Amino acid sequence: MKVAVFSTNYYDREYLISANAAGKHQLTFFNEPLRLESIILATGFNAVCIVVSDDANKKVIDQLSVFGIRLITLRSTGFDNVNLAAAEALHIKVMRVPSYSPQSIAEHATALALTLNRKTHKAYNRVRDNNFSLNNLMGFTLSGKIVGVVGTGKIGRAFCTIMQGFGCRVIACDIRENQAMKEKGIEYKTFEELLCLTDIISIHCPLTSATHHLFNSHAFSKLKKGAMLINTSRGGVIKTTDAVEALKSGQLGYLGIDVYEGEANLFFKDMSGTIVEDDLIERLMSFNNVLITPHQAFFTKEAVEQIAVTTIQNLSDFENHISSANELKSVPNKPAKLAANENV
Ligand code: NAD
């Protein structure tokens, strides 16, 4: 199958070429993201392969259909950047990589929390400058703290297990409770209860209409003063302007994010030689209790290899008309409900 692979870096190419060693598919790599402005690149292909920073909105999908594209395959788990209903209406199949290494993301969330707490990033720079003072490096003992996990899917569950290993009490909220996690001692509460009770919160739910700006001024006002918030899920789950206000007031004590609402224009690019026009991320970076990484939580050898293998498998399954659990179907959005016992 002829596939236009958008938003590629050297590592995407290396691992996809290796997964496609048998030469089943003809892959053409583009550095450009998929956008209306770059869509002409998809001419003459049967499928497009995209990532989270690409934009498969309705207009893009309409045009892809005109070009004869029959498959959009995502090299990611999250698919909030694809208008599934528009694709379905035009009989374009959408596939994804539902799981590649949940531990990779959970471990990165842990790294953000530990770094913010123990300030190893500051110590590293300080010591290189022959400054061996301990001023402002004091952290807190993680063992015994209460950790809140929003979304106990594959990544959330891995994060719960890591936090239990640190000796933390773990509270979770999800629209579906996980029995196995309950048996492991995870306590399910409502979202509001979780906000009030926890010292550290880690977000692991998808971005949906129900979770968009879930962390807003109202949620921040319910936090334990000085709590830590970690987000490796999707930027849109946090209303960034409200987070800035909560940081200024000290209500939010630490913020560690691997994802950001405006990341599509910034992340995965080297912008060190240009002027960044996004004032909000610049404001965030001015706080000494904010740590930002550029959507790298997934970025381990194991995960990138698995993404490539599953992507090639998705292409083959589509070509051979094999039905796959990796296909995405559009479902009407359900209203936001975060009560602990709700089953949807
Ligand atoms: P998953 O589908 O296994 O789990 C998501 C969980 O969130 C489910 O248990 C679901 O019931 C729950 N959920 C849905 N709506 C909710 C709500 N309103 N409130 C609370 N919980 C809710 O997904 P996963 O593999 O664990 O991935 C989670 C998210 O992590 C993805 O959607 C993606 O956005 C993000 N992600 C980020 C990276 C990265 O590199 N930063 C990599 C992979 C995934």
Side-chain angles (χ1 to χ4, degrees):
M1 203 154 61
K2 291 170 80 179
V3 189
V5 190
F6 283 87
S7 296
T8 56
N9 281 295
Y10 70 91
Y11 44 85
D12 298 297
R13 290 181 213 120
E14 185 185 324
Y15 282 87
L16 281 167
I17 288 169
S18 163
N20 190 41
K24 283 188 190 151
H25 305 288
Q26 222 178 301
L27 309 178
T28 303
F29 299 104
F30 297 109
N31 296 333
E32 290 80 358
L34 178 66
R35 300 261 189 282
L36 213 46
E37 301 78 45
S38 61
I39 202 162
I40 194 73
L41 296 171
T43 325
F45 292 93
N46 316 110
V48 293
C49 179
I50 63 170
V51 288
V52 286
S53 50
D54 293 303
D55 188 2
N57 62 36
K58 186 176 179 319
K59 279 187 182 164
V60 168
I61 287 174
D62 286 348
Q63 194 54 46
L64 289 177
S65 170
V66 172
F67 290 160
I69 297 291
R70 305 271 36 102
L71 172 71
I72 298 171
T73 191
L74 288 141
R75 308 196 293 284
S76 64
T77 303
F79 51 88
D80 44 273
N81 54 331
V82 181
N83 187 326
L84 290 181
E88 210 163 277
L90 293 166
H91 308 291
I92 295 177
K93 206 165 258 189
V94 183
M95 299 178 86
R96 66 166 175 158
V97 182
S99 176
Y100 36 89
S101 171
Q103 285 77 15
S104 304
I105 296 100
E107 287 169 12
H108 190 78
T110 308
L112 289 174
L114 289 175
T115 307
L116 275 170
N117 173 18
R118 303 307 297 268
K119 305 171 178 64
T120 44
H121 54 319
K122 293 181 187 180
Y124 172 81
N125 285 325
R126 192 180 279 197
V127 168
R128 284 169 67 92
D129 205 23
N130 292 332
N131 175 353
F132 302 99
S133 123
L134 295 183
N135 291 344
N136 299 317
L137 292 184
M138 188 180 281
F140 58 83
T141 305
L142 200 50
S143 179
K145 294 292 179 296
I146 308 178
V147 174
V149 178
V150 180
T152 51
K154 293 175 286 298
I155 299 169
R157 293 200 295 276
F159 185 76
C160 288
T161 305
I162 294 172
M163 288 299 113
Q164 284 187 318
F166 274 103
C168 298
R169 176 181 163 201
V170 183
I171 288 175
C173 82
D174 198 309
I175 50 174
R176 286 186 197 89
E177 289 185 12
N178 183 290
Q179 190 53 34
M181 293 315 282
K182 282 165 89 171
E183 282 160 18
K184 283 179 76 177
I186 306 301
E187 305 163 49
Y188 280 92
K189 306 268 185 201
T190 64
F191 179 60
E192 295 250 340
E193 286 168 340
L194 179 144
L195 292 175
C196 305
L197 288 168
T198 50
D199 303 293
I200 299 173
I201 298 174
S202 193
I203 308 175
H204 298 291
C205 59
L207 176 62
T208 63
S209 56
T211 62
H212 181 248
H213 287 176
L214 184 62
F215 283 84
N216 53 23
S217 56
H218 175 74
F220 289 126
S221 73
K222 302 283 169 196
L223 288 182
K224 257 189 191 179
K225 193 162 174 71
M228 179 188 291
L229 179 63
I230 303 293
N231 188 10
T232 54
S233 159
R234 283 292 181 267
V237 180
I238 297 179
K239 188 170 181 195
T240 317
T241 48
D242 289 359
V244 166
E245 291 310 312
L247 284 160
K248 278 161 72 178
S249 70
Q251 180 66 10
L252 183 59
Y254 312 78
L255 178 66
I257 54 172
D258 185 52
V259 287
Y260 164 63
E261 283 189 279
E263 71 175 62
N265 298 322
L266 301 169
F267 286 12
F268 306 122
K269 295 177 199 157
D270 178 0
M271 300 187 68
S272 56
T274 56
I275 302 294
V276 171
E277 289 178 19
D278 185 327
D279 292 344
L280 197 50
I281 197 160
E282 296 296 318
R283 180 68 182 104
L284 274 183
M285 287 191 290
S286 73
F287 291 102
N288 60 15
N289 52 354
V290 171
L291 181 60
I292 303 174
T293 53
H295 208 133
Q296 70 180 80
F298 75 98
F299 201 50
T300 63
K301 279 188 289 185
E302 293 79 1
V304 175
E305 186 175 7
Q306 191 54 53
I307 289 170
V309 167
T310 307
T311 298
I312 298 300
Q313 187 63 47
N314 283 348
L315 292 169
S316 299
D317 286 349
F318 175 80
E319 192 171 39
N320 299 319
H321 309 286
I322 296 171
S323 100
S324 161
N326 300 348
E327 284 171 30
L328 289 165
K329 301 260 178 270
S330 74
V331 279
N333 276 324
K334 290 192 182 293
K337 281 206 178 150
L338 287 155
N341 298 323
E342 195 198 10
N343 259 322
V344 291

